Amino acid sequence: MPDRIFTEQKLAELYDHFNPWGGRSGDDEFYMEHILSSDSVLDVGCGTGLLLRKAREFGHSGRLVGLDPADAMLEIGRNSRSDIEWTYGVLESARFDQEFDLVMMSGHAFQVFISDGEVRGVLAAVRRALTAQGKFVFETRNPSARRWERWTPEHAIEIAHPAGGVARMEHQVDLPIDGDLVSFTTRFTAPTFDGVMESRSTLRFLDESGLNVFLAEAGFEIEAQYGFWDRSPVTETSPEIITVARPASA
Ligand SMILES: C[S@@+](CC[C@H](N)C(=O)[O-])C[C@H]1O[C@@H](n2cnc3c(N)ncnc32)[C@H](O)[C@@H]1O
């Protein structure tokens, strides 16, 4: 079950305003390069589908599929473009079979898979969905950079609300951290809300070696791993673990 932040229409409508195209330090451009060089693309946890919609605007003429279990997010994509396949649901129960040159998960969507069983389940489903020459591209936040330490009300983000006034989003993390799981509350205020809207989330922060064991077990080999969108290496302090993986050759 996705968090309320994605299933509540009023919150989903704000998503692209908090995360506009090109506003997140290079990830959009990184993914777009991969999308535009792939004939068939599955975006798992596509949310509002901004990347896929932009890919059409940039001239992608192949198959684009956006999958998400949050209807409020998917609806935004569906209402914007009809030349993209908008699929409601989770990948684990979708029946894709060697159909995609690229399976991707942006916006740290991979971190919603919390248990070992969920991680194994989603990787197996990605593997099934990919063609033999396909690639799986996704990122997860590097735990050693301890990003959650900045998820405090003092680091709230404020944006101009589309209906006027200011919308505000702040996080508060549950302490102490539970192993590699970080649970937190996100609070939103906006001129169109009656009061504060809250959403609870838990994300897993797998480290590079743990992640790579899961990938190998699922039959992937790693083509490249980066610590940031400029393709710099993963280090103790790099914010991301960005992975390009391919089905291992037999
Ligand atoms: C942080 S958003 C990322 C959205 C988008 N990919 C982006 O780059 O902005 C995470 C998305 O993952 C979706 N999600 C949650 N559980 C999922 C699952 N089991 N399978 C696929 N997507 C899931 C959520 O509904 C949400 O839209």
Side-chain angles (χ1 to χ4, degrees):
M1 176 65 187
D3 303 327
R4 183 179 185 212
I5 186 174
F6 305 123
T7 55
E8 190 82 41
Q9 189 192 350
K10 278 185 183 169
L11 295 180
E13 280 170 359
L14 283 181
Y15 188 86
D16 288 345
H17 296 283
F18 277 109
N19 301 284
W21 168 257
R24 284 192 311 205
S25 60
D27 58 343
D28 287 333
E29 294 78 0
F30 181 92
Y31 278 105
M32 190 56 69
E33 266 187 60
H34 286 283
I35 295 173
L36 293 180
S37 60
S38 307
D39 286 340
S40 50
V41 179
L42 173 62
D43 184 355
V44 179
C46 67
T48 64
L50 186 58
L51 269 163
L52 298 180
R53 291 185 271 135
K54 280 282 175 191
R56 279 286 187 249
E57 281 177 29
F58 291 146
H60 192 285
S61 57
R63 184 179 181 203
L64 298 176
V65 180
L67 176 83
D68 203 288
D71 44 1
M73 296 282 273
L74 208 57
E75 206 51 25
I76 290 169
R78 192 174 277 131
N79 289 337
S80 331
R81 289 201 80 109
S82 58
D83 54 1
I84 294 169
E85 295 172 45
W86 302 105
T87 307
Y88 172 77
V90 297
L91 181 62
E92 306 88 293
S93 24
R95 290 273 160 259
F96 298 119
D97 186 17
Q98 300 184 57
E99 299 169 42
F100 298 99
D101 303 319
L102 170 67
V103 176
M104 50 165 285
M105 273 190 219
S106 67
H108 306 102
F110 182 76
Q111 292 187 250
V112 307
F113 302 101
I114 289 169
S115 69
D116 289 0
E118 287 172 332
V119 172
R120 289 194 179 103
V122 77
L123 291 178
V126 170
R127 181 78 178 71
R128 278 196 303 276
L130 276 176
T131 60
Q133 310 303 323
K135 59 188 168 182
F136 175 36
V137 183
F138 69 102
E139 88 276 18
T140 184
R141 295 179 186 87
N142 184 3
S144 62
R146 304 176 70 83
R147 183 70 195 175
W148 62 84
E149 289 180 348
R150 296 189 57 203
W151 293 350
T152 64
E154 298 75 60
H155 292 98
I157 298 171
E158 293 190 345
I159 55 161
H161 190 276
V166 170
R168 177 185 163 94
M169 171 176 69
E170 65 175 46
H171 303 298
Q172 185 140 34
V173 173
D174 297 354
L175 296 173
I177 301 302
D178 177 12
D180 60 8
L181 299 183
V182 177
S183 297
F184 57 97
T185 301
T186 307
R187 295 189 184 89
F188 293 89
T189 51
T192 51
F193 298 174
D194 290 334
V196 179
M197 290 183 77
E198 284 193 358
S199 177
R200 292 277 304 156
S201 310
T202 299
L203 298 176
R204 186 166 183 180
F205 283 68
L206 268 172
D207 63 18
E208 189 183 9
S209 58
L211 174 66
N212 292 349
V213 169
F214 279 115
L215 285 167
E217 266 179 25
F220 286 100
E221 59 191 24
I222 293 162
E223 183 176 290
Q225 229 153 18
Y226 308 111
F228 197 57
W229 305 106
D230 58 3
R231 293 179 168 77
S232 52
V234 179
T235 65
E236 272 294 295
T237 54
S238 62
E240 308 285 350
I241 305 169
I242 302 160
T243 301
V244 180
R246 290 190 183 272
S249 37

